[in-house]
Amino acid sequence: MTPDEVSFRSGDVTCSAWHFASDRQGTRPVVVMAHGFGGTKDSGLEPFAHRFAGAGIDVFAFDYRGFGASEGEPRQSLSVRRQIEDYHAAIEAAKRLDGVDPGRMALWGASFSGGHVLRVAAERDDVGAVIALTPLTSGLAVSRAAMTSRSVVTSLRWTLTGIKSRVAVGRGGAPTMMPLVAPVGEPGALALDGAYESYLSLAGPTWRNEIDSAIGMEVVGVRTTAAAKKLRCPLLVQIADFDQYVPAGAVAVTAAHGRAQVHRYPCDHFDVWPGHDWFDKAADDEVAFLERTLRSVVG
């Protein structure tokens, strides 16, 4: 299945999206999805989208401002606030798609965007279901895990570089870049065991292995407990028990606050992605959840 290329406006920027239209007759539910930490829609989202479309559910997958095929400057500079705004704009765009029932809307997020979808859904009354795949729910917990892969001196150096980069961007200048992923022991935002190989195995043609070095200040501020408590729609949280990146314990706490349906997998963070051992199980669980929840929502 080849998706349709579509675009939408978020703020004053044009964002790029793919519409995977199911061949099921009549109006259909739709899932709005975006990637996690520095990811792009051409980097592993399509196999999930094919599963959903095969079950009669349309998919609207998009790139954030400044990433992938979307417009926006500065490039590769991650802002939680902007990405959440992009999700809201993408939802409005998805509701206008031909054949879509705007009363049966779901959000899908993974890792970094897994926290986004909790916050976005908590702010709306038109979301019927949320899927959070190995979500980043606590910036403090993730920052502590990342510290294990680098020395204190290296951490301090990148923190200072990040502060300088944020100041420069705030004044209209260019950010200071760092590798998004790197082999263990080398400089990078993610340098835990297996991160480099896993990201590169998923990487599409628009993905770039660089990120604004101020990323650490965005990550550490992520908190999702309040959003989970406020959430009114069904929630599926998928936890990787041996996750090196988003500690399973922190995710479980958020899931409890959101009264979530929880599925756990005996694997690491990237093992639920296409090409890895637990993808089929994770995707099957997502389809079953969407079939049950979206079809019970009155459109």
Side-chain angles (χ1 to χ4, degrees):
M1 176 190 298
T2 301
D4 294 326
E5 297 272 357
V6 295
S7 62
F8 65 98
R9 298 288 287 179
S10 184
D12 58 355
V13 170
T14 298
C15 291
S16 174
W18 285 340
H19 176 208
F20 296 83
S22 169
D23 60 5
R24 189 157 300 184
Q25 297 299 310
T27 56
R28 303 172 298 274
V30 62
V31 175
V32 177
M33 64 191 310
H35 220 297
F37 188 76
T40 51
K41 67 181 186 294
D42 58 8
S43 299
L45 296 190
E46 190 165 355
F48 287 101
H50 284 165
R51 294 294 186 97
F52 301 152
I57 303 167
D58 281 24
V59 175
F60 189 83
F62 71 94
D63 282 330
Y64 303 112
R65 282 176 277 180
F67 288 87
S70 288
E71 297 177 355
E73 297 290 341
R75 305 300 296 176
Q76 304 296 120
S77 185
L78 193 155
S79 160
V80 172
R81 175 185 58 80
R82 287 197 302 269
Q83 291 192 349
I84 287 176
E85 290 175 356
D86 293 345
Y87 256 105
H88 282 293
I91 290 170
E92 296 304 320
K95 291 164 72 172
R96 297 190 295 268
L97 293 170
D98 289 341
V100 160
D101 179 356
R104 292 187 290 166
M105 170 83 61
L107 304 184
W108 182 100
S111 193
F112 204 62
S113 64
H116 293 351
V117 293
L118 295 175
R119 295 176 60 180
V120 171
E123 296 171 0
R124 307 182 66 101
D125 59 7
D126 57 354
V127 175
V130 173
I131 295 173
L133 175 65
T134 59
L136 194 166
T137 59
S138 167
L140 287 175
V142 169
S143 296
R144 291 191 192 103
M147 288 283 288
T148 64
S149 67
R150 58 175 68 100
S151 69
V152 173
V153 172
T154 299
S155 297
L156 288 173
R157 182 187 306 122
W158 279 113
T159 298
L160 291 173
T161 302
I163 292 171
K164 292 178 182 177
S165 182
R166 171 161 288 189
V167 170
V169 170
R171 293 174 175 173
T176 300
M177 295 297 181
M178 68 187 301
L180 199 160
V181 289
V184 175
E186 296 185 17
L190 289 178
L192 295 171
D193 185 37
Y196 183 78
E197 294 79 8
S198 295
Y199 246 93
L200 265 61
S201 71
L202 294 170
T206 69
W207 181 79
R208 290 162 53 180
N209 189 18
E210 60 178 4
I211 195 78
D212 183 345
S213 58
I215 179 60
M217 286 178 282
E218 292 290 327
V219 170
V220 76
V222 172
R223 296 175 178 81
T224 58
T225 297
K229 289 179 179 178
K230 187 179 177 182
L231 203 63
R232 294 178 294 278
C233 64
L235 168 65
L236 171 64
V237 174
Q238 296 171 284
I239 300 174
D241 284 327
F242 306 121
D243 201 320
Q244 299 180 80
Y245 309 91
V246 289
V251 179
V253 169
T254 298
H257 284 303
R259 300 178 298 281
Q261 175 183 331
V262 176
H263 285 257
R264 304 186 75 123
Y265 310 92
C267 64
D268 200 355
H269 189 79
F270 287 100
D271 294 335
V272 292
W273 283 85
H276 296 271
D277 291 344
W278 288 92
F279 166 71
D280 286 333
K281 174 59 175 167
D284 287 347
D285 290 340
E286 292 174 1
V287 169
F289 172 76
L290 292 173
E291 288 181 328
R292 183 175 65 256
T293 56
L294 291 184
R295 288 176 183 172
S296 68
V297 177
V298 177

